[in-house]
Amino acid sequence: MSNHPSRTAFWAGVVFLLVVLTALVMGGIKVQAWLQDEQRAPVQVVDFSGEFEHVNVVQLERLIRKSQPGSFFALDVNEVFQLVESQPWIYRASVRKQWPNTLKIYLVEQTPVAQWNEDMLLNPYGETFSASAEGLALPRLFGPSGSEKTALEGYNAMQSLLATTAMPIVELSLSERFAWQIQLGNGIDLNLGRTEFIDRLQRFIDVYPLLAQQPKPVKYVDLRYDTGLAVGWETSTDEQS
């Protein structure tokens, strides 16, 4: 008889514990459902900051809301970050939640400095990104895959040399054998070869004032010589006929 009260108390404790555990589980399910309910805790504000010109933030917000239709609590910041950085004109981004209903996104936009092989753009680091060049006055760079940084570094070096001549580079080609050719804003084509292309370009700059005095305009200059150069002249319509 003496064990009966203790046995009753034990089972009463077990039942109480089961009731508590059941209540906790049910409460957790209800809390989870509440947190997932977009109407109870919606993301009301998507706040974009940073300096950008080409990013369409209205369209970007629409993409974010479509990919993350749940509540503020259910929203996955990492997924939003990956979605934002996958957009063509976005170079870097940071994403964070701000209680109680705001998603804050800071954007760093790509800076295009050149077209690459007609279907890509280059940023100042020689990295390609896929975006439209429409309306952008950019030099056209061509070269084999993997030569983006080399081509851009060569362009920058040559453009610096030409800065005072009013003859900007409008097109640059780097061949499979890494020979350089450029076209200037005045239409002159320069063949600079594979080596010493900066010295050869300087040779052209030095001699150009004499070439410009000639009665015929210059069409191309071949500088692939240790000394001297070869000049091709524009042919008039009368001479062609």
Side-chain angles (χ1 to χ4, degrees):
M1 295 294 292
S2 60
N3 290 333
H4 181 68
S6 61
R7 203 178 313 155
T8 301
F10 169 76
W11 286 111
V14 170
V15 171
F16 177 77
L17 179 60
L18 290 175
V19 170
V20 171
L21 291 175
T22 301
L24 289 174
V25 170
M26 294 301 295
I29 293 174
K30 289 183 178 181
V31 169
Q32 181 67 19
W34 186 89
L35 293 179
Q36 293 287 350
D37 188 346
E38 183 181 8
Q39 300 305 315
R40 293 182 182 272
V43 177
Q44 294 183 345
V45 179
V46 179
D47 180 22
F48 293 98
S49 59
E51 295 183 5
F52 43 85
E53 179 182 354
H54 303 282
V55 177
N56 186 332
V57 293
V58 174
Q59 182 180 9
L60 183 55
E61 179 176 346
R62 191 179 302 123
L63 288 174
I64 293 170
R65 291 188 180 277
K66 184 177 180 180
S67 70
Q68 299 287 323
S71 70
F72 175 85
F73 299 97
L75 184 142
D76 190 319
V77 170
N78 290 327
E79 289 185 4
V80 174
F81 170 77
Q82 292 173 7
L83 173 64
V84 171
E85 282 215 338
S86 70
Q87 303 307 304
W89 277 106
I90 295 175
Y91 179 63
R92 290 288 184 268
S94 65
V95 181
R96 65 182 177 88
K97 296 178 184 179
Q98 180 174 290
W99 176 262
N101 56 14
T102 300
L103 182 65
K104 298 187 75 68
I105 301 176
Y106 181 80
L107 302 177
V108 178
E109 191 175 62
Q110 290 277 17
T111 302
V113 296
Q115 296 184 55
W116 178 250
N117 286 342
E118 292 186 337
D119 58 351
M120 303 288 284
L121 297 180
L122 284 179
N123 67 19
Y125 312 106
E127 300 167 342
T128 59
F129 62 100
S130 179
S132 173
E134 184 178 356
L136 301 176
L138 298 173
R140 302 181 299 275
L141 274 56
F142 299 87
S145 177
S147 67
E148 295 88 348
K149 290 184 178 180
T150 300
L152 184 60
E153 288 171 358
Y155 166 81
N156 288 335
M158 287 187 276
Q159 188 59 50
S160 296
L161 199 60
L162 290 162
T164 59
T165 67
M167 292 186 291
I169 299 172
V170 296
E171 185 172 300
L172 176 150
S173 296
L174 188 59
S175 74
E176 294 284 347
R177 300 181 68 246
F178 286 82
W180 300 86
Q181 289 184 309
I182 62 175
Q183 182 182 89
L184 303 178
N186 56 9
I188 297 176
D189 294 319
L190 303 183
N191 192 338
L192 300 169
R194 296 175 58 191
T195 61
E196 300 179 348
F197 61 91
I198 293 296
D199 292 338
R200 291 172 177 176
L201 180 59
Q202 183 62 60
R203 189 192 312 164
F204 165 76
I205 293 172
D206 292 341
V207 77
Y208 180 70
L210 295 176
L211 298 177
Q213 295 175 10
Q214 304 306 309
K216 295 181 181 180
V218 178
K219 182 176 182 180
Y220 70 86
V221 179
D222 190 342
L223 295 134
R224 295 174 297 171
Y225 303 93
D226 293 335
T227 59
L229 45 85
V231 181
W233 307 95
E234 290 282 1
T235 303
S236 68
T237 304
D238 293 339
E239 290 176 326
Q240 289 177 346
S241 61

